[in-house]
């Protein structure tokens, strides 16, 4: 009975791996726990042992291919039948050194070798590649398929989105693990299934394209020397180096030549951190003249149908989860809110003066959010209790400042996290805010990008409100609500004590905090420093 060999998960945040080398070929006898293939991920290179003893029946994924965890990469026939090549009378070991067979008997005998290895067109015989419900976070056990982006019979490319899912923590588009034809959809839209459930099959001729064609063996070469799968053909420029689909997507969107990005991952693999740092350091993208013509902008998505008066509409999975989390937060934390009025006139003038040159220079729009985020980071450094969290009967003083940015979506709310924000300069913060917001709206966030936050910003002022009283994002201890920016008449007092009335740009900020660990005095000091940093801004914006 065949045993599937899957791409293992090599860490909590690892979602994919690259097969760098097969240590066995079809027909080889292997022992349980004997190294079978080598992989490379963002965090580790490793040899992966065989899950059982038997004969390697089929290699489904070629060397150099990157696939998601739990993808079936090979099968092992535990009985050893039907997979070993029909060797000459001598033993397999002797076949390696035996003289070449006669020309009339040179046909390879490995019956499981795809027709592609004979130089012919691939066939539809053989099993397809199973598409699994992925695990989108350590605590996630199930997901709901909200939409199929492809239908049976459609051709898909590797890493092309094929369906959308919704989980407790994220809505996401799930990419295809291989190139091929979608031959079967096993789980319909709206169904909730546990992780690792097979939801579709990609198979047939296109499903076998992971292994490129290899020349048929000649009469002068031993049969046993025929490789199970040749390395994939040379990829596009951005794929010649080791990188993940996310890294390649960021590179494509920013016209970055990945050969110019130093990789800090295993064996020089380029991680997301590497390419983001490359962009933050002001590296210039590939010249536009060398880039292919930009594809036409995608058509705007049709507006979601509006509910009619009197209609009863079930909550979406995401809406239901948001409701649960909000009730849990109010029940967990005794919420207190304090509102501060900040004179943003200096910031407004800096932005108006610099925004055109800033966008031209850095390729990102200059908004108010990076100013506010930087001021919050400075204040959090001075008042670490506001960046803390309760763990049982203790207080965790978080080492890093991981800023969550609440993003309103048509279908709900999501809070992507900018990790180690204290290490980023103004430009780095500006780019990170745009990046996470765009990818949140495009359902492109990875699970670890919506977890681990220590402090959250929510900007409801864009809708015109003066200020709000936001609910804390558990298990954090505080959240900063950003009110609307308006011109108001203010009484100003000069150094001689003379009063005058002037038109100023005023914005109100609300700190919601957990009164179990943050006292009113702590909150007041934090907000005073936050206010002072904005009103007396002197930081270089890059």
């Amino acid at each position: 009975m065949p045993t599937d060999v899957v791409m293992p998960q090599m860490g909590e945040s690892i979602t994919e791996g690259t097969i760098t080398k097969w240590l066995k070929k079809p027909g080889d006898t292997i022992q349980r726990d004997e190294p079978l293939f080598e992989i490379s991920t963002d965090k580790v290179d490793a040899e992966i042992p065989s899950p059982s003893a038997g004969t390697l029946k089929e290699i489904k994924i070629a060397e150099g291919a990157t696939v998601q965890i739990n993808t079936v990469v090979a099968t092992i026939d535990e009985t050893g039948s039907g997979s070993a090549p029909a060797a000459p009378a001598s033993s397999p070991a002797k076949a390696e050194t035996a003289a070449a067979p006669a020309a009339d008997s040179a046909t390879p005998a490995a019956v499981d070798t795809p027709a592609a290895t004979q130089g012919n067109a691939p066939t539809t015989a053989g099993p397809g590649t199973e598409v699994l419900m992925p695990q989108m976070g350590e605590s996630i056990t199930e997901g709901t398929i909200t939409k199929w982006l492809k239908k049976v019979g459609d051709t898909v490319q590797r890493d092309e989105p094929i369906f959308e899912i919704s989980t407790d923590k994220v809505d996401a588009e799930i990419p295809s693990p291989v190139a091929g034809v979608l031959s079967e959809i096993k789980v319909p839209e709206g169904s909730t299934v546990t992780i690792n459930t097979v939801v579709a099959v990609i198979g047939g001729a296109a499903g076998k394209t992971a292994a490129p064609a290899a020349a048929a063996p000649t009469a002068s070469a031993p049969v046993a020397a025929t490789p199970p799968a040749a390395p994939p053909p040379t990829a596009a420029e951005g794929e010649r180096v080791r990188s993940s689909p996310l890294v390649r997507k960021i590179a494509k969107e920013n016209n970055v030549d990945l050969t110019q990005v130093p990789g800090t991952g295993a064996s020089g693999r380029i991680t997301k951190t590497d390419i983001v740092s490359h962009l933050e350091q002001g590296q210039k993208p590939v010249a536009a003249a060398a880039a292919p013509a930009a594809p036409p902008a995608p058509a705007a998505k049709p507006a979601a149908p509006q509910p009619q008066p009197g209609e009863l509409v079930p909550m979406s999975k995401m809406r239901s989860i948001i409701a649960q989390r909000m009730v849990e937060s109010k029940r967990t934390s005794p919420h207190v809110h304090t509102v501060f009025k900040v004179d943003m006139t200096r910031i407004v003038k800096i932005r108006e003066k610099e925004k055109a040159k800033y966008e031209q220079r850095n390729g990102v729009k200059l908004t108010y959010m990076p100013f506010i985020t930087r001021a919050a980071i400075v204040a959090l450094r001075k008042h670490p209790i506001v960046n803390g969290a309760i763990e049982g009967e203790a207080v965790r003083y978080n080492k890093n400042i991981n800023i969550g940015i609440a993003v309103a979506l048509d279908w709900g709310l999501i809070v992507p996290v900018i990790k180690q924000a204290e290490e980023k300069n103004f430009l780095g913060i500006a780019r990170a805010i745009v990046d996470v917001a765009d990818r949140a709206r495009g359902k492109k966030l990875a699970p670890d990008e919506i977890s681990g936050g220590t402090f959250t910003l929510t900007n409801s002022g864009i809708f015109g409100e003066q200020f709000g009283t936001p609910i804390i994002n558990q298990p954090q201890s505080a959240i900063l609500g950003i009110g609307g920016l308006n011109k108001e008449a203010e009484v100003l007092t000069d150094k001689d004590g003379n009063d005058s009335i002037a038109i100023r740009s005023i914005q109100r900020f609300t700190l919601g905090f957990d009164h179990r660990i943050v006292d009113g005095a702590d909150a007041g000091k934090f907000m005073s420093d936050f206010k002072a940093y904005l009103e007396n801004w002197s930081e270089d914006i890059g």
Side-chain angles (χ1 to χ4, degrees):
M1 179 173 154
T3 298
D4 287 339
V5 181
V6 300
M7 174 62 69
Q9 184 169 16
M10 302 300 292
E12 177 185 347
S13 62
I14 300 298
T15 60
E16 63 180 17
T18 299
I19 295 179
T20 54
K21 185 177 182 182
W22 280 101
L23 304 175
K24 299 291 182 178
K25 60 183 181 293
D28 283 356
T29 300
I30 49 180
Q31 302 300 317
R32 179 181 175 85
D33 296 331
E34 182 180 6
L36 183 59
F37 61 103
E38 296 178 355
I39 68 169
S40 177
T41 73
D42 279 356
K43 294 183 177 179
V44 67
D45 277 6
E47 289 184 344
I48 305 304
S50 173
S52 63
T55 301
L56 182 57
K57 180 178 180 180
E58 182 183 3
I59 289 176
K60 292 177 176 285
I61 306 297
E63 291 179 359
T66 300
V67 295
Q68 289 189 322
I69 61 170
N70 298 322
T71 298
V72 177
V73 299
T75 56
I76 295 171
D77 191 341
E78 294 187 29
T79 66
S81 62
S83 57
S90 57
S91 67
K94 292 179 181 178
E96 293 286 339
T97 56
D104 60 356
S105 62
T107 304
V111 297
D112 288 318
T113 302
T117 62
Q118 307 303 318
N120 302 326
T123 69
T124 57
T129 298
E130 295 177 337
V131 181
L132 307 178
M133 172 62 69
Q135 184 168 17
M136 300 301 289
E138 181 182 7
S139 61
I140 301 299
T141 60
E142 65 181 17
T144 300
I145 295 180
T146 53
K147 185 178 182 181
W148 281 100
L149 305 175
K150 298 289 182 178
K151 61 183 183 294
V152 172
D154 283 356
T155 300
V156 295
Q157 302 301 316
R158 184 167 72 86
D159 299 331
E160 182 181 8
I162 55 174
F163 64 102
E164 296 179 356
I165 68 170
S166 178
T167 72
D168 280 359
K169 293 185 176 179
V170 67
D171 277 10
E173 290 181 342
I174 305 304
S176 173
V178 294
V181 173
L182 182 59
S183 57
E184 184 180 2
I185 290 177
K186 291 179 174 285
V187 179
E189 293 179 358
S191 298
T192 300
V193 295
T194 57
I195 60 171
N196 298 327
T197 297
V198 178
V199 299
V201 177
I202 296 174
K208 289 289 186 183
T209 57
T218 64
S220 61
V223 172
T226 303
T234 302
E237 182 67 24
E239 297 182 358
R240 289 179 181 163
V241 292
R242 289 185 179 180
S243 61
S244 68
L246 175 59
V247 167
R248 295 194 290 272
K249 178 178 181 294
I250 296 173
K252 182 178 179 181
E253 290 175 348
N254 292 275
N255 289 331
V256 173
D257 180 358
L258 283 179
T259 61
Q260 304 302 311
V261 181
T264 61
S267 300
R269 183 177 176 85
I270 299 173
T271 67
K272 180 192 169 192
T273 302
D274 295 331
I275 193 166
V276 171
S277 297
H278 181 83
L279 291 170
E280 287 177 359
Q281 291 166 7
Q283 301 296 328
K284 298 297 182 183
V286 177
K301 291 185 178 180
Q306 294 298 313
Q308 299 301 310
E311 183 180 6
L312 180 64
V313 180
M315 281 188 180
S316 66
K317 182 79 171 178
M318 190 178 200
R319 186 76 264 158
S320 177
I321 292 167
I322 290 172
Q324 294 173 27
R325 296 293 180 265
M326 295 299 97
V327 172
E328 289 170 1
S329 182
K330 291 291 283 187
R331 187 166 56 235
T332 299
S333 299
H335 282 59
V336 180
H337 293 87
T338 183
V339 182
F340 271 58
K341 189 166 68 172
V342 177
D343 188 337
M344 295 285 285
T345 306
R346 180 173 175 78
I347 300 295
V348 169
K349 289 180 178 179
I350 292 173
R351 178 177 176 271
E352 288 300 316
K353 178 183 177 183
E354 299 290 337
K355 65 180 182 180
K357 293 183 291 183
Y358 189 87
E359 183 173 0
Q360 184 178 19
R361 183 169 65 246
N362 299 311
V364 61
K365 290 184 178 180
L366 182 60
T367 68
Y368 293 110
M369 279 300 291
F371 291 96
I372 295 166
T373 305
R374 282 292 300 159
I377 291 169
V378 170
L380 288 169
R381 279 175 164 170
K382 293 183 178 180
H383 307 282
I385 188 62
V386 183
N387 193 52
I390 288 181
E391 289 187 13
E393 298 297 321
V395 176
R396 168 73 65 184
Y397 286 85
N398 289 300
K399 178 180 179 182
N400 297 114
I401 298 174
N402 300 333
I403 299 290
I405 305 290
V407 178
L409 309 172
D410 290 341
W411 56 92
L413 180 76
I414 196 167
V415 186
V417 178
I418 300 172
K419 302 289 180 68
Q420 299 177 353
E422 77 279 6
E423 297 179 1
K424 297 182 181 293
N425 60 14
F426 184 93
L427 177 57
I429 290 291
R431 282 186 168 142
I433 290 171
V434 172
D435 173 55
V436 296
D438 286 349
R439 289 192 292 112
R441 296 185 181 101
K443 297 185 178 181
K444 303 294 185 183
L445 292 170
D448 61 353
E449 292 179 306
I450 55 168
S451 61
T454 62
F455 185 82
T456 296
L457 303 178
T458 178
N459 185 9
S460 54
I462 59 174
F463 303 110
E465 70 177 38
Q466 289 287 308
F467 65 90
T469 54
I471 297 175
I472 297 167
N473 188 13
Q474 297 293 327
Q476 299 167 27
S477 294
I479 182 170
L480 186 67
I482 303 169
L485 179 63
N486 300 288
K487 289 184 177 180
E488 299 180 13
E490 288 290 306
V491 177
L492 303 182
T493 304
D494 64 21
K495 61 181 180 180
D496 296 322
N498 300 312
D499 293 337
S500 61
I501 295 177
I503 303 300
R504 309 292 288 181
S505 295
I506 301 297
Q507 195 164 17
R508 289 165 177 81
F509 295 86
T510 304
L511 183 71
F513 56 96
D514 186 339
H515 212 345
R516 292 177 298 171
I517 60 170
V518 180
D519 292 331
D522 299 320
K525 292 174 183 176
F526 170 86
M527 289 301 291
S528 293
D529 286 332
F530 170 80
K531 171 185 169 78
Y533 197 82
L534 287 172
E535 292 184 340
N536 301 284
W537 186 274
S538 60
E539 182 178 338
D540 180 13
I541 64 173

